[in-house]
Amino acid sequence: MIAMDAVRRELRGSAIALVMVAATTLVTLVLIQYLDVRRGSVIYLLPVLLAGWHLGLVPALVAAVAGVLWSGYFFFSPYYTFYLARPNEILNLLLFMVVAVVTSHLANSMKQQTEIARKREKETSDLYAFSRRLSAASSARDIYLAIEEHLANLVQRKVILFGAGGAKADQAQLSARLNTAIADVEAGRSPATTVDNGAGDVWLVRRVSQKTADFGVIAIDLGSVPAETFEEVRHRVDDVLSDAAATLQHLDVARALNDARMRSETELLREALIGSVSHELRTPLASILGAATVLSKSPAVAKDERLTSLAGVVRDEAERLNNDIQNLLDATRISREQIRPRQEWIEPQDIVNSAFERRRRRLSGHNVALDMDSNLPFIYVDAVLVEQAFVQIVDNAAKYSPTGSPITIAAKRNGRDVVLSVRDQGVGLTAEESAQIGERFFRGARHAATTSGSGLGLWIAKAFVTANGGKIQAVSPGADHGAAVSILLPFATPASQPEVGPDD
């Protein structure tokens, strides 16, 4: 089959070479007919050069023989015969042959060098992209995924990598024999093995590196490989994996994997500790908050301004601590990807009113204005999550605005969105702060020393709103010129909105 393909390729190239000689002959006829050119046999070197450069040795030799015959026909006496008798005609033929051989050799050499250069460029580019992805990976799972895709790109076959954070979902879909082979290699009972998956495809299972188990076990789908070529394919794959393992060792991927595992375990432990401590603090904090509320309303305390002030401080600080604990719990939920919105139909005004009531005491020192459209459409969201996000925005407006300044809380319709917004005349946002707002633990340096906070509020709000299909926007004319922070939520189409009964 390979020999037949080579013969067809040479025949096709020879046919193209003869076409180029024919085109040259037409040009020669024009030159002789109209310009009476009788010493232009060198023109037949052109198809020889082109054939040697683009088509190979055999087509170039065919072009050389045809060119010598036609040059003798037109440019050597007796004219218009293919008889080669003179020494100069024989010399022409030899010269054309030499040009054909040299040109084809140079062309093949250049093509090989070009192919090698392209291959090296691609390998370098792939390796650079792989190393950059490794440096950006934040977990062992990300690193293993990067290794899997890199190896699949190298061997140009389907690859499944098993290790810490390995492909459990893929493993569940594999045949029992293949899973048994993977378990044997992972346990060290077999260095490498080949398995038929029962569907006619052969899989190669082995460690990525025979020197270390840190890089995991790889299963490669070799497909339906004929028996006579199986060893050749396996040897080629083994060579590629050996080079890949050397590259992984050179990049110190094992250390990166260990560091990623340590980071993941530390993060899980930290989040578990935060969640446990936060839950334990909620009960005594609720008691403190309730007691402070009762004390602030008792007649005995109300008669003493100092006691009233102290009770108010206790209540305010308990509420602040309660909000901080809630932020920590919410941050833990977000980090563990445990946000599952329970969506329901609700009017946007209800969310705004509820958030306002929850922060009424915080807003008591400001001139608050409510601006809500009366005919807003229903929205299909998790009302608890959206309300909590809006409370964060209202809380920030009260926190970063001077006492007595105006704050406008609005609910409007804008195109296909319902917009819940809070506008204040507070510290505003610089261009740098606007670009980073909503990031985890971000707080502007201008007021980090004067205003308490963890930098989690807007990050949590952004996560809750995004989970409901919306987005948060912050607009500010500049520092000390206030800001407008908005939640944009898509509303339902009239056909999908709930029907409102007559009693509603």
Side-chain angles (χ1 to χ4, degrees), residues 477-496:
D480 301 321
H481 287 82
V485 182
S486 305
I487 295 177
L488 283 71
L489 297 167
F491 63 83
T493 61
S496 61

PDB file of all heavy atoms in Angstrom, residues 477-496:
ATOM      1  N   PRO A 477     -18.090  58.825  39.733  1.00  0.00           N
ATOM      2  CA  PRO A 477     -17.395  59.922  39.032  1.00  0.00           C
ATOM      3  C   PRO A 477     -15.950  60.086  39.469  1.00  0.00           C
ATOM      4  O   PRO A 477     -15.165  60.717  38.781  1.00  0.00           O
ATOM      5  CB  PRO A 477     -18.218  61.166  39.415  1.00  0.00           C
ATOM      6  CG  PRO A 477     -19.522  60.646  39.928  1.00  0.00           C
ATOM      7  CD  PRO A 477     -19.222  59.315  40.526  1.00  0.00           C
ATOM      8  N   GLY A 478     -15.599  59.527  40.628  1.00  0.00           N
ATOM      9  CA  GLY A 478     -14.240  59.655  41.126  1.00  0.00           C
ATOM     10  C   GLY A 478     -14.225  59.655  42.639  1.00  0.00           C
ATOM     11  O   GLY A 478     -15.249  59.536  43.314  1.00  0.00           O
ATOM     12  N   ALA A 479     -13.020  59.780  43.193  1.00  0.00           N
ATOM     13  CA  ALA A 479     -12.859  59.778  44.639  1.00  0.00           C
ATOM     14  C   ALA A 479     -13.623  60.934  45.269  1.00  0.00           C
ATOM     15  O   ALA A 479     -13.612  62.064  44.754  1.00  0.00           O
ATOM     16  CB  ALA A 479     -11.378  59.857  45.001  1.00  0.00           C
ATOM     17  N   ASP A 480     -14.315  60.631  46.383  1.00  0.00           N
ATOM     18  CA  ASP A 480     -15.071  61.623  47.167  1.00  0.00           C
ATOM     19  C   ASP A 480     -16.252  62.214  46.401  1.00  0.00           C
ATOM     20  O   ASP A 480     -16.743  63.297  46.768  1.00  0.00           O
ATOM     21  CB  ASP A 480     -14.147  62.748  47.662  1.00  0.00           C
ATOM     22  CG  ASP A 480     -13.019  62.221  48.526  1.00  0.00           C
ATOM     23  OD1 ASP A 480     -13.271  61.304  49.328  1.00  0.00           O
ATOM     24  OD2 ASP A 480     -11.876  62.716  48.393  1.00  0.00           O
ATOM     25  N   HIS A 481     -16.702  61.539  45.345  1.00  0.00           N
ATOM     26  CA  HIS A 481     -17.860  62.016  44.590  1.00  0.00           C
ATOM     27  C   HIS A 481     -18.989  60.989  44.588  1.00  0.00           C
ATOM     28  O   HIS A 481     -19.871  61.028  43.731  1.00  0.00           O
ATOM     29  CB  HIS A 481     -17.460  62.340  43.144  1.00  0.00           C
ATOM     30  CG  HIS A 481     -16.656  63.595  43.021  1.00  0.00           C
ATOM     31  ND1 HIS A 481     -15.292  63.629  43.258  1.00  0.00           N
ATOM     32  CD2 HIS A 481     -17.017  64.863  42.701  1.00  0.00           C
ATOM     33  CE1 HIS A 481     -14.844  64.861  43.076  1.00  0.00           C
ATOM     34  NE2 HIS A 481     -15.864  65.627  42.743  1.00  0.00           N
ATOM     35  N   GLY A 482     -18.967  60.078  45.541  1.00  0.00           N
ATOM     36  CA  GLY A 482     -20.036  59.107  45.648  1.00  0.00           C
ATOM     37  C   GLY A 482     -19.938  57.991  44.625  1.00  0.00           C
ATOM     38  O   GLY A 482     -19.048  57.971  43.762  1.00  0.00           O
ATOM     39  N   ALA A 483     -20.854  57.041  44.756  1.00  0.00           N
ATOM     40  CA  ALA A 483     -20.867  55.885  43.850  1.00  0.00           C
ATOM     41  C   ALA A 483     -22.281  55.347  43.741  1.00  0.00           C
ATOM     42  O   ALA A 483     -23.119  55.565  44.621  1.00  0.00           O
ATOM     43  CB  ALA A 483     -19.916  54.800  44.349  1.00  0.00           C
ATOM     44  N   ALA A 484     -22.532  54.648  42.639  1.00  0.00           N
ATOM     45  CA  ALA A 484     -23.810  53.960  42.429  1.00  0.00           C
ATOM     46  C   ALA A 484     -23.500  52.492  42.140  1.00  0.00           C
ATOM     47  O   ALA A 484     -22.832  52.188  41.150  1.00  0.00           O
ATOM     48  CB  ALA A 484     -24.588  54.585  41.279  1.00  0.00           C
ATOM     49  N   VAL A 485     -23.951  51.606  43.019  1.00  0.00           N
ATOM     50  CA  VAL A 485     -23.727  50.171  42.850  1.00  0.00           C
ATOM     51  C   VAL A 485     -25.076  49.526  42.535  1.00  0.00           C
ATOM     52  O   VAL A 485     -26.057  49.746  43.256  1.00  0.00           O
ATOM     53  CB  VAL A 485     -23.110  49.551  44.111  1.00  0.00           C
ATOM     54  CG1 VAL A 485     -22.834  48.067  43.892  1.00  0.00           C
ATOM     55  CG2 VAL A 485     -21.817  50.274  44.485  1.00  0.00           C
ATOM     56  N   SER A 486     -25.124  48.748  41.466  1.00  0.00           N
ATOM     57  CA  SER A 486     -26.389  48.213  40.981  1.00  0.00           C
ATOM     58  C   SER A 486     -26.320  46.704  40.813  1.00  0.00           C
ATOM     59  O   SER A 486     -25.272  46.141  40.469  1.00  0.00           O
ATOM     60  CB  SER A 486     -26.769  48.846  39.632  1.00  0.00           C
ATOM     61  OG  SER A 486     -26.790  50.254  39.731  1.00  0.00           O
ATOM     62  N   ILE A 487     -27.451  46.054  41.049  1.00  0.00           N
ATOM     63  CA  ILE A 487     -27.632  44.630  40.757  1.00  0.00           C
ATOM     64  C   ILE A 487     -28.569  44.538  39.557  1.00  0.00           C
ATOM     65  O   ILE A 487     -29.688  45.053  39.598  1.00  0.00           O
ATOM     66  CB  ILE A 487     -28.243  43.880  41.955  1.00  0.00           C
ATOM     67  CG1 ILE A 487     -27.282  43.885  43.141  1.00  0.00           C
ATOM     68  CG2 ILE A 487     -28.601  42.452  41.562  1.00  0.00           C
ATOM     69  CD1 ILE A 487     -27.847  43.228  44.385  1.00  0.00           C
ATOM     70  N   LEU A 488     -28.106  43.904  38.480  1.00  0.00           N
ATOM     71  CA  LEU A 488     -28.908  43.741  37.269  1.00  0.00           C
ATOM     72  C   LEU A 488     -29.396  42.299  37.196  1.00  0.00           C
ATOM     73  O   LEU A 488     -28.587  41.362  37.158  1.00  0.00           O
ATOM     74  CB  LEU A 488     -28.097  44.081  36.021  1.00  0.00           C
ATOM     75  CG  LEU A 488     -27.880  45.562  35.705  1.00  0.00           C
ATOM     76  CD1 LEU A 488     -26.908  46.207  36.692  1.00  0.00           C
ATOM     77  CD2 LEU A 488     -27.342  45.740  34.293  1.00  0.00           C
ATOM     78  N   LEU A 489     -30.700  42.128  37.207  1.00  0.00           N
ATOM     79  CA  LEU A 489     -31.312  40.801  37.176  1.00  0.00           C
ATOM     80  C   LEU A 489     -32.252  40.698  35.977  1.00  0.00           C
ATOM     81  O   LEU A 489     -33.076  41.584  35.772  1.00  0.00           O
ATOM     82  CB  LEU A 489     -32.097  40.534  38.461  1.00  0.00           C
ATOM     83  CG  LEU A 489     -31.275  40.506  39.762  1.00  0.00           C
ATOM     84  CD1 LEU A 489     -32.196  40.565  40.959  1.00  0.00           C
ATOM     85  CD2 LEU A 489     -30.408  39.253  39.810  1.00  0.00           C
ATOM     86  N   PRO A 490     -32.143  39.633  35.196  1.00  0.00           N
ATOM     87  CA  PRO A 490     -33.070  39.475  34.064  1.00  0.00           C
ATOM     88  C   PRO A 490     -34.470  39.161  34.569  1.00  0.00           C
ATOM     89  O   PRO A 490     -34.652  38.382  35.503  1.00  0.00           O
ATOM     90  CB  PRO A 490     -32.477  38.290  33.289  1.00  0.00           C
ATOM     91  CG  PRO A 490     -31.699  37.527  34.301  1.00  0.00           C
ATOM     92  CD  PRO A 490     -31.175  38.531  35.287  1.00  0.00           C
ATOM     93  N   PHE A 491     -35.470  39.790  33.954  1.00  0.00           N
ATOM     94  CA  PHE A 491     -36.831  39.502  34.375  1.00  0.00           C
ATOM     95  C   PHE A 491     -37.498  38.530  33.407  1.00  0.00           C
ATOM     96  O   PHE A 491     -37.047  38.328  32.283  1.00  0.00           O
ATOM     97  CB  PHE A 491     -37.662  40.784  34.523  1.00  0.00           C
ATOM     98  CG  PHE A 491     -37.846  41.551  33.240  1.00  0.00           C
ATOM     99  CD1 PHE A 491     -38.831  41.210  32.325  1.00  0.00           C
ATOM    100  CD2 PHE A 491     -37.029  42.634  32.958  1.00  0.00           C
ATOM    101  CE1 PHE A 491     -39.001  41.919  31.159  1.00  0.00           C
ATOM    102  CE2 PHE A 491     -37.187  43.357  31.784  1.00  0.00           C
ATOM    103  CZ  PHE A 491     -38.177  43.000  30.877  1.00  0.00           C
ATOM    104  N   ALA A 492     -38.594  37.946  33.861  1.00  0.00           N
ATOM    105  CA  ALA A 492     -39.278  36.927  33.063  1.00  0.00           C
ATOM    106  C   ALA A 492     -40.061  37.566  31.936  1.00  0.00           C
ATOM    107  O   ALA A 492     -40.485  38.715  32.021  1.00  0.00           O
ATOM    108  CB  ALA A 492     -40.221  36.120  33.959  1.00  0.00           C
ATOM    109  N   THR A 493     -40.242  36.816  30.862  1.00  0.00           N
ATOM    110  CA  THR A 493     -41.098  37.283  29.765  1.00  0.00           C
ATOM    111  C   THR A 493     -42.551  37.214  30.215  1.00  0.00           C
ATOM    112  O   THR A 493     -42.899  36.453  31.123  1.00  0.00           O
ATOM    113  CB  THR A 493     -40.900  36.405  28.525  1.00  0.00           C
ATOM    114  OG1 THR A 493     -41.261  35.069  28.863  1.00  0.00           O
ATOM    115  CG2 THR A 493     -39.450  36.441  28.069  1.00  0.00           C
ATOM    116  N   PRO A 494     -43.439  37.998  29.593  1.00  0.00           N
ATOM    117  CA  PRO A 494     -44.852  37.965  30.011  1.00  0.00           C
ATOM    118  C   PRO A 494     -45.465  36.578  29.970  1.00  0.00           C
ATOM    119  O   PRO A 494     -46.294  36.230  30.786  1.00  0.00           O
ATOM    120  CB  PRO A 494     -45.523  38.906  29.004  1.00  0.00           C
ATOM    121  CG  PRO A 494     -44.435  39.843  28.581  1.00  0.00           C
ATOM    122  CD  PRO A 494     -43.176  39.024  28.577  1.00  0.00           C
ATOM    123  N   ALA A 495     -45.036  35.744  28.997  1.00  0.00           N
ATOM    124  CA  ALA A 495     -45.626  34.408  28.877  1.00  0.00           C
ATOM    125  C   ALA A 495     -45.222  33.491  30.024  1.00  0.00           C
ATOM    126  O   ALA A 495     -45.942  32.557  30.374  1.00  0.00           O
ATOM    127  CB  ALA A 495     -45.220  33.783  27.550  1.00  0.00           C
ATOM    128  N   SER A 496     -44.025  33.763  30.609  1.00  0.00           N
ATOM    129  CA  SER A 496     -43.524  32.861  31.642  1.00  0.00           C
ATOM    130  C   SER A 496     -43.735  33.405  33.045  1.00  0.00           C
ATOM    131  O   SER A 496     -43.430  32.727  34.010  1.00  0.00           O
ATOM    132  CB  SER A 496     -42.020  32.592  31.431  1.00  0.00           C
ATOM    133  OG  SER A 496     -41.301  33.813  31.517  1.00  0.00           O
TER     134      SER A 496
END
